[in-house]
Amino acid sequence: MRFEPTELSDAEVALQREVRAFLAEELPRGSFEPGLGMNGAKDPEFSRKLAARGWVGMALPRAYGGGDRSAVERFIVAEELLRWGAPLGHHWVADRQSGPMIHKFGTEAQQRRFLPAICRGELSFSIGMSEPQAGSDLAAVQTRATPVEGGWRVSGTKVWTSGAHYNDWFIVLCRTSDEDDRRDGLSQLLVDLRSDGIEVQPIPFLDGTSHFNQVFLDQVFVPSELLLGRAGAGWQQNASELAYERGGPERWLSTYLVVEQFLRERAGEELDARALELLGTATAQWWGLRQLSLSIARALDGGGAPAVESALVKEMGTRFEQDVLAAVQRLVELEPAAESESLFERLLVAAVLSAPSFTLRGGTNEILRSVAAKGLRT
Amino acid sequence: MSDPVLLQSVERVLEDVCTHESIQAAEQSGWAPEIWQALAGVGLPWLGLDERAGGTGGELGDALEVLRIAGRHALPAPLAETGLLAGWLASGAGLSLGSGPVAPAPVRPDEVLELEGGRLSGRASRVPWARAAERIAALARTGQGWAVALVDPSAATLEPRVNLAGEPRDGLRFDAVEVESWAPAAPGVDPAALQYRGALTRVMLMSGALERMSELTLEYTAERHQFGRPVGRFQAVQQYLVSAAQDAALVGMAGRVAAREAERGPARFEIGAAKLLANRAAHSATRAAHQAHGAMGMTREYPLHHWSRRLWAWRSEYGDELAWSGRLGREVAAAGADALYPTIAGGSAAGSPRDP
Ligand SMILES: Cc1cc2nc3c(=O)[nH]c(=O)nc-3n(C[C@H](O)[C@H](O)[C@H](O)COP(=O)(O)OP(=O)(O)OC[C@H]3O[C@@H](n4cnc5c(N)ncnc54)[C@H](O)[C@@H]3O)c2cc1C
């Protein structure tokens, strides 16, 4: 385990300033309903504007419409969007993992086809990993792709697929052959969510919104040129996709705005000792977690593969997101209402109703602890 | 930032002198002159101090990294006290320290010493290793502001006390004691600055202790077998291993960032935040490490207590959770909602509070 302290260069600080100025101009406080971290709303228009600044797919090569920027630069943009509550839902998954996956494993033709549209903020992606019988144990996926003339026929059921009801594509982890080791014989396919044979059925989210779905694939034809990477290498590729999901600022900022807005709505009031204690403690924790997360981004830029570090940070960051929320709840004597005039109350409602998911999505904390513990032993 | 060759040689020196037995013996006797001699022989106590003031040069960052290593080894000697605290007070005032251990006073934020006509008065409690110190470096109030006075501890009334780790933390009472020398404190050196600097030394010591405690727990749970396998293979135990490693990583990072910023300026935000994180980690990491060790961790014959007791002791020195969370909280509240994220991301160097 290795975390090297790092800090932003002058150019990186300049980027941070630019992003802050853009958000203040484009989305002044009060002009939009902020979301909680990566649950931010889907707004293709906003994603396109962001992309016009070069801030979507920015770490992808210029040749494919990206900006050849670093993981740290992407970190800076992501953290500012997240803490602002910006509507990043349209491009978030494509920017964070699908784009980098296509770049890492995709053919030249796939890169030319998908990456420029991702970098323009146009194309949106979902994640097609989980199934009814395959949650933490992803090697148990039963969705099967059978080779046919010119491609594959894919059948099976994906579940908890966030945004499948409005996104364009998803990367489907499926079985392409049966091998002794369950982890062999898996592959990843790029699948158009509007293909014939796909049915997307919303699963009502706890807070009453539409967030995730069950996706039924019935003999969906996927042309062979949409196999991502190597047939049979799906397990390893998927593991590297998961690594993109971990260790970033979205793992400790989900409830940040609740606290910021608490502070805003109490401006001018004398805060009691408990409130000050919470503010001081949470600020120190955000600061510390951010230093760790930034160090992971810097390590990625240096060619490192900080998998254990990312698991450690995601596990403690998501626990902290829940802890800080509980602390705020203990602080205010209030039955929060979604219809309230107070944004703080509305954010509190959203946070309380989504908080249990923080330590589940992207790999549960129990699984992360196993990953981390194995890494610590070696 | 730090000189790797230097740090390696420090690691070797401390590994040599800080054995399980020597640490136990130092606690029994209250002072281990041979350990001090070993440190003094290579100039460690004065690292980071101006050579004109009898220091051995080097950067503040080096001296702080050395403290982290001292924490890893549960070093039972006033390393932080002599150079980074007393030495800083003295050299800033143009006074020379001498070659023995020196203890800074006061330690507690609510105690004030007074200097008048070259005579020192007042009480200072919890002074580290005062009983063994050749001198006390006192930050004292005068009619003209803060001054640093060097005084022979035998001229004071000493009440021996120890902290939870058995490290000497003595009470001193000065009744118009004549000082050996004194001079006005350097600009910016006042009780608040001393508290911050003291807190920074504790963060570094604690980060070393957390690191070593995490390693020790990994080692022990890999060796200890129950139900036919290493206990570290049980998921329930792995949870403790991960939690201790997280605390070590978080505080290690916080300490190193605070140390880096302290080379550039007062670094008040970073030091306060780091001490707060270290104090919190002292609870969670010791709890995890002890639980994973079972009864073995509860005996003085096994070394875990060198670190767990030090963490419990150091968490209350130079500001506990309540002190630092209250201070940070007041600053954050005063700066307002718009300044919150810029502070998290920018620390002490964050631009104007109105930065968008
Ligand atoms: C809001 C939200 C959005 C999501 N979006 C997507 C998406 O877009 N695409 C997608 O593919 N998936 C998505 N998921 C699914 C997510 O990845 C899974 O919830 C997660 O991987 C856990 O699987 P599970 O829910 O089936 O829990 P299970 O695996 O059934 O686990 C139940 C409990 O058992 C524990 N457990 C399981 N195995 C072990 C073990 N070996 N050791 C110790 N404990 C264990 C778990 O930690 C958990 O506490 C989403 C989930 C949520 C909550």
Side-chain angles (χ1 to χ4, degrees), chain A residues 70-117:
Chain A
S70 64
V72 168
E73 289 172 308
R74 188 195 162 268
F75 174 100
I76 292 166
V77 172
E79 81 170 320
E80 291 300 328
L81 295 175
L82 290 161
R83 67 103 169 178
W84 200 258
L88 43 66
H90 181 67
H91 69 272
W92 179 253
V93 168
D95 174 76
R96 181 183 64 183
Q97 65 196 78
S98 320
M101 284 293 288
I102 293 168
H103 173 52
K104 191 164 172 189
F105 297 109
T107 61
E108 180 62 25
Q110 286 168 350
Q111 297 192 65
R112 298 224 165 271
R113 176 167 175 190
F114 292 102
L115 299 185

Side-chain angles (χ1 to χ4, degrees), chain B residues 2-11 44 47 58 62-63 66 69:
Chain B
S2 309
D3 173 355
V5 180
L6 168 82
L7 298 181
Q8 266 171 26
S9 69
V10 171
E11 182 81 50
L44 275 190
L47 195 65
D62 291 327
V66 166
I69 301 173

Side-chain angles (χ1 to χ4, degrees), chain A residues 7 79 264 312 315 319, chain B residues 246 264 280 325 338 341 356:
Chain A
E7 60 189 318
E79 81 170 320
R264 186 169 287 116
L312 278 182
E315 203 279 336
R319 251 185 313 119
Chain B
Q246 285 169 330
R264 300 169 176 170
R280 292 173 60 89
S325 63
D338 291 340
Y341 205 79

Side-chain angles (χ1 to χ4, degrees), chain B residues 62-107:
Chain B
D62 291 327
L64 288 166
E65 270 296 293
V66 166
L67 277 192
R68 188 178 59 76
I69 301 173
R72 279 184 66 83
H73 291 278
L75 171 73
L79 193 60
E81 282 66 29
T82 300
L84 279 167
L85 298 174
W88 167 72
L89 289 173
S91 68
L95 303 173
S96 179
L97 272 188
S99 60
V102 185
V107 174

Side-chain angles (χ1 to χ4, degrees), chain A residues 127 129-130 135-136 160-162 205 212 357 360 364 366-367, chain B residues 235:
Chain A
I127 303 167
M129 297 185 193
S130 305
S136 300
W160 317 126
T161 321
S162 303
F205 197 55
F212 48 29
S357 68
L360 295 171
T364 70
E366 288 70 29
I367 297 299
Chain B
Q235 284 193 341

Side-chain angles (χ1 to χ4, degrees), chain B residues 19-21 23-24 27 74 212-224 231 241 286 288-310 312:
Chain B
T19 63
H20 178 55
E21 292 72 27
I23 305 171
Q24 303 266 65
E27 180 174 350
R212 184 68 196 112
M213 200 170 69
S214 163
E215 291 166 10
L216 189 68
T217 309
L218 281 167
E219 290 158 20
Y220 181 79
T221 56
E223 278 160 23
R224 168 73 173 167
V231 294
L241 302 179
T286 54
H290 270 283
Q291 189 66 20
H293 271 87
M296 187 57 84
M298 293 309 293
T299 166
R300 291 239 175 153
E301 287 171 8
Y302 178 84
L304 178 60
H305 70 92
H306 295 315
W307 294 282
S308 60
R309 288 192 301 142
R310 277 176 175 74
W312 294 325

